[in-house]
Amino acid sequence: MRVHKLTIAAMALAAGLSLTACQNDDDGTDRGAASPAASAASSTGGSGSTGSDQQGGTEADGKSPAGTGGGDGTTATGGSGGSGGSVENGKAAKCRTDELEITAIDATVGGDDRGTVAVDLKNGGGRDCSLAGHAGVDLKTDSGTLSAERTGEPAPSVVLKDGERITFGITYPINDSGGSGVRITGLVVTPPDETKSVTLDWPGGATLPVTDGSGTPVQVGPLGSAGQGG
């Protein structure tokens, strides 16, 4: 009987060892199946600390979400740096009326059939500034305001350094009719692309001939011109 009991005990012990081995084999299979998935997650999570765990699974392509600095080497280009601000693409900001010293002189050459006034714009603003287009010109007369017409020539764009100047010409018909004509009482100049004007004394001929509108007009040339639009 003792031998029989020992044999049964030995068989029970062997069965227990076999069950334990099976359990260990099952655990090893589970761990082995998880390992490839873990390796895949590691390889697709990108570099650095912005892995898929931190971003809730949005990092599968290895790129950081917008605004996080990026793992793809790109940087933000907005803000006041670069080409923005008051200087556009390296061009000086426009000249303001208050920055310009505006003067006018008689520039009529003897023998010309038209009178000429030269208007000088000097940059006194302490910085470089730009001018583009035609200045506005109005003549004050005893019959009302007369606006000068443009000559139709191309208007350049210029940059004036501090202290530099540029001149344009105003041409007008000379009153040789023998009559009293239209008396000029003042000159109003508005720099290009500005709304503020300055009023100057008119340095040219005192009067304009009276016409029915078919006569020679008062004309203003582009920046850099001096008389007859040239």
Side-chain angles (χ1 to χ4, degrees):
M1 292 294 295
R2 181 177 180 84
V3 174
H4 183 68
K5 290 180 179 180
L6 288 174
T7 300
I8 293 174
M11 292 176 62
L13 178 61
L17 291 174
S18 177
L19 180 60
T20 302
C22 290
Q23 291 176 345
N24 288 338
D25 289 341
D26 290 341
D27 291 342
T29 300
D30 291 342
R31 286 193 296 269
S35 179
S39 299
S42 175
S43 65
T44 59
S47 59
S49 61
T50 55
S52 59
D53 289 343
Q54 289 185 337
Q55 299 299 330
T58 61
E59 297 298 315
D61 59 355
K63 296 182 180 180
S64 299
T68 61
D72 57 353
T74 60
T75 57
T77 58
S80 59
S83 62
S86 61
V87 178
E88 295 289 340
N89 298 322
K91 297 180 181 179
K94 71 176 183 179
C95 300
R96 300 291 185 181
T97 301
D98 292 338
E99 297 176 310
L100 297 171
E101 300 173 17
I102 304 176
T103 56
I105 61 171
D106 182 14
T108 303
V109 177
D112 284 354
D113 59 353
R114 305 189 70 192
T116 302
V117 167
V119 179
D120 191 78
L121 307 177
K122 180 180 178 181
N123 180 10
R127 65 179 180 92
D128 294 356
C129 65
S130 63
L131 290 169
H134 287 79
V137 170
D138 296 298
L139 300 186
K140 289 184 174 182
T141 76
D142 57 359
S143 298
T145 300
L146 174 65
S147 296
E149 300 178 5
R150 296 177 181 178
T151 60
E153 295 176 271
S157 177
V158 298
V159 174
L160 291 182
K161 295 185 180 297
D162 185 39
E164 288 186 342
R165 66 184 67 213
I166 192 167
T167 303
F168 66 88
I170 303 170
T171 58
Y172 61 95
I174 296 175
N175 182 20
D176 55 7
S177 64
S180 59
V182 178
R183 186 167 62 89
I184 304 173
T185 60
L187 169 63
V188 181
V189 177
T190 308
D193 201 25
E194 276 287 271
T195 57
K196 185 176 182 179
S197 304
V198 295
T199 300
L200 307 172
D201 292 335
W202 172 252
T207 62
L208 296 174
V210 177
T211 69
D212 58 3
S214 61
T216 303
V218 177
Q219 292 185 305
V220 54
L223 298 172
S225 68
Q228 284 75 36

